[in-house]
């Protein structure tokens, strides 16, 4: 967690600048977010919100959304860029949120630095904060491997990047109490190094 926090603090401003309009070229991303926005019916938290662009997109779709991120640097950028939204520093493994307080949780590529063996505890925590019927939306790198990211966004970094098998992710979510509503895997697009996956589940 210390490496992840330090790396994202370092790249926060450049990351935000490079990716601020990325959704414009990602129709599958927009489709999954639009589906989630249509189905959710109350407060939502994006965990691992980074500079806030996904939370802002959901807000534009009418979602009552706030964001949480491990990196204070990312949260500072999000607050400057989207002053009308709420952002806080925190971790998805121990959320400062009461039980059953939310109607939705979004983890948009937030599990890519979490080893597969550690995901069950993450899903248990996300399940805890969702009310019955609440929705979980995930986007993640699909596969079964680990890479090392040593340079990105113009900076030297120290990050492990995990590709997760979609069927294993869905099984772990089910073990935590989620019922799968939809799953999508698409081919790599542009500079992506492998297929990408989306999961929508209900508590």
């Amino acid at each position: 967690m210390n490496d992840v926090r330090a790396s994202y603090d370092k790249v926060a401003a450049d990351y935000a600048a490079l990716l601020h309009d990325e959704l414009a070229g990602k129709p599958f991303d927009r489709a999954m977010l639009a589906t989630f926005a249509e189905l959710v019916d109350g407060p939502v938290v994006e965990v691992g919100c980074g500079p806030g662009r996904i939370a802002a997109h959901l807000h534009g779709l009418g979602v009552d959304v706030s964001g949480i991120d491990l990196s204070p640097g990312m949260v500072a950028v999000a607050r400057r860029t989207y002053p009308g939204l709420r952002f806080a520093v925190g971790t998805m493994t121990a959320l400062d949120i009461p039980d059953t307080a939310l109607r939705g949780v979004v983890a948009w590529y937030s599990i890519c630095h979490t080893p597969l063996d550690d995901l069950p505890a993450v899903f248990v925590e996300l399940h805890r904060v969702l009310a019955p019927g609440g929705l979980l939306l995930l986007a993640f790198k699909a596969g079964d491997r680990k890479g090392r990211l040593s340079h990105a966004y113009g900076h030297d970094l120290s990050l492990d990047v995990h590709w997760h098998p979609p069927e294993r992710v869905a099984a772990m979510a089910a073990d935590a109490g989620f019922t799968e509503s939809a799953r999508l895997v698409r081919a790599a697009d542009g500079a992506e190094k492998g297929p990408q996956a989306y999961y929508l589940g209900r508590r």
Side-chain angles (χ1 to χ4, degrees):
M1 288 179 65
N2 290 334
D3 284 347
V4 174
R5 181 186 295 109
S7 292
Y8 280 106
D9 279 347
K10 184 185 297 185
V11 305
D14 292 317
Y15 179 102
L18 287 167
L19 297 182
H20 76 280
D21 61 352
E22 186 194 35
L23 280 177
K26 296 291 178 70
F28 289 105
D29 289 29
R30 296 196 310 274
M32 291 302 296
L33 291 166
T35 299
F36 176 85
E38 183 174 341
L39 294 174
V40 78
D41 61 353
V44 170
V45 166
E46 184 195 358
V47 296
C49 66
R53 63 190 183 90
I54 300 299
H57 182 79
L58 288 169
H59 177 72
L61 296 175
V63 178
D64 175 13
V65 61
S66 58
I68 292 174
D69 199 90
L70 182 67
S71 161
M74 285 290 193
V75 169
V77 171
R79 287 171 174 168
R80 287 198 305 270
T81 309
Y82 308 106
L85 297 180
R86 305 177 307 279
F87 297 99
V89 177
T91 170
M92 63 183 175
T93 58
L95 294 165
D96 187 18
I97 298 172
D99 293 356
T100 70
L102 301 176
R103 295 298 302 173
V105 170
V106 175
W108 203 255
Y109 292 98
S110 306
I111 63 173
C112 68
H113 303 302
T114 304
L116 194 65
D117 290 346
D118 293 341
L119 284 182
V122 171
F123 289 133
V124 167
E125 178 66 355
L126 300 183
H127 186 274
R128 178 188 69 79
V129 300
L130 279 169
L135 292 172
L136 170 66
L137 176 62
L138 307 173
F140 57 98
K141 300 175 184 297
D144 191 5
R145 61 191 176 97
K146 181 178 78 171
R148 186 71 178 171
L149 191 62
S150 58
H151 189 86
Y153 314 111
H155 298 270
D156 291 331
L157 303 175
S158 180
L159 287 172
D160 288 331
V161 180
H162 299 271
W163 280 255
H164 296 308
E167 64 279 2
R168 290 285 303 279
V169 170
M172 289 177 177
D175 288 344
F178 289 99
T179 299
E180 183 175 336
S181 298
R183 193 191 319 173
L184 172 67
V185 179
R186 65 164 175 82
D189 181 29
E192 294 169 348
K193 294 179 173 60
Q196 311 294 303
Y198 312 84
Y199 168 92
L200 181 66
R202 191 177 292 275
R203 185 195 194 280

